[in-house]
Amino acid sequence: MKRTLLLLAVALVAPAVAHATTATATAQAELQAGVAAYHRGDYQQALADFRQLAAQGHVFAEFVLGTMYEKGQGVTQNYAEAMKWYRLAAAHGDAVAKNQLGFMYDHGQGVSQNYAEALKWYRLAAAQGYARAETKLGMMYTVGQGVPQNYAEALKWNRLAAAQGYALAEANLGVMYTRGLGVPQDYVAAYKWYLIAKATMSATSPYYAVVSDNVKQLSAMTTPAQIAQAQQEASAWYAAHEHAGHAP
């Protein structure tokens, strides 16, 4: 299953918060200026701000420059240049940059497609608890992409991401329980995970309609008592993990 590029509207929030604790007051002000320029569509100013920060070794600025070159924002799209900036950010420990390097090897952007190399970068990002990378590892083990097919491993990675409230991983668990992949087939558990995913996922997500359709199909395959049980389990789980929820 392909995923879209990391939306900078999201990327400019979470990573910025993560790096803010190590930024000086001046660098933080420059960062905010760069973010503001980006959001008003002034990519040239954003590039100037982020380049200045990147020259000082600011990890988030390195990551954003990689994203802007990848997407061709304010510059000619250049995957090789994007890779350069992602590698710098990854070398400074940024999990999101590591995940994006995995994505580029996965899809052959700026490099020859190489699932083994993609797997390496996804693993490095997942080792830092990055849910998107954990979910991607789950997918690769499910289909045997770059690794031998291994449903137990797929289940492990999807569960780790789901524990963080990552909607796509929750939906993947629904699929695994529906089909009995690595677990006994269990429609109640499948229904539960689809409900959790639907509650976590934005209605604008490209996966929302698919999850909604899966809920509808399972409704015709389960009893009212089973549906009630799944709803109860989903409500309890979602209430306990709501703070971690975020859409793919």
Side-chain angles (χ1 to χ4, degrees), residues 77-213:
Q77 187 178 54
N78 187 325
Y79 290 142
E81 192 69 11
M83 289 285 288
K84 181 191 84 173
W85 288 108
Y86 285 144
R87 286 187 186 280
L88 283 170
H92 289 140
D94 190 76
V96 187
K98 292 174 185 177
N99 180 76
Q100 206 61 17
L101 284 169
F103 177 84
M104 296 189 80
Y105 276 107
D106 196 353
H107 296 271
Q109 292 184 344
V111 289
S112 298
Q113 189 176 54
N114 187 326
Y115 292 138
E117 193 69 12
L119 191 76
K120 180 190 85 173
W121 287 108
Y122 287 139
R123 283 190 184 282
L124 288 170
Q128 293 177 241
Y130 190 57
R132 191 182 294 264
E134 292 170 342
T135 304
K136 183 58 186 182
L137 286 172
M139 292 179 179
M140 293 181 84
Y141 275 107
T142 298
V143 301
Q145 187 181 66
V147 289
Q149 190 175 58
N150 187 325
Y151 294 141
E153 274 295 297
L155 196 68
K156 179 189 84 173
W157 288 111
N158 278 309
R159 280 177 170 159
L160 284 169
Q164 297 187 59
Y166 195 69
L168 187 54
E170 294 161 355
N172 288 344
L173 287 173
V175 172
M176 297 189 80
Y177 276 103
T178 300
R179 299 180 181 176
L181 305 178
V183 290
Q185 189 176 57
D186 186 338
Y187 289 157
V188 172
Y191 200 103
K192 163 195 158 184
W193 282 112
Y194 286 138
L195 289 178
I196 291 168
K198 189 176 178 181
T200 308
M201 194 175 286
S202 167
T204 60
S205 167
Y207 307 114
Y208 188 84
V210 176
V211 172
S212 298
D213 188 57

Side-chain angles (χ1 to χ4, degrees), residues 11 17 27-28 45-46 56 75 82 85 90 95 126 129 134 138 145 152 171 183 198 220 224-225 227 231 233 243:
V17 172
Q28 189 66 8
Q45 183 59 54
Q56 302 168 38
V75 292
W85 288 108
E134 292 170 342
Q145 187 181 66
V183 290
K198 189 176 178 181
I227 291 174
Q231 290 171 335
E233 291 180 6
H243 68 282

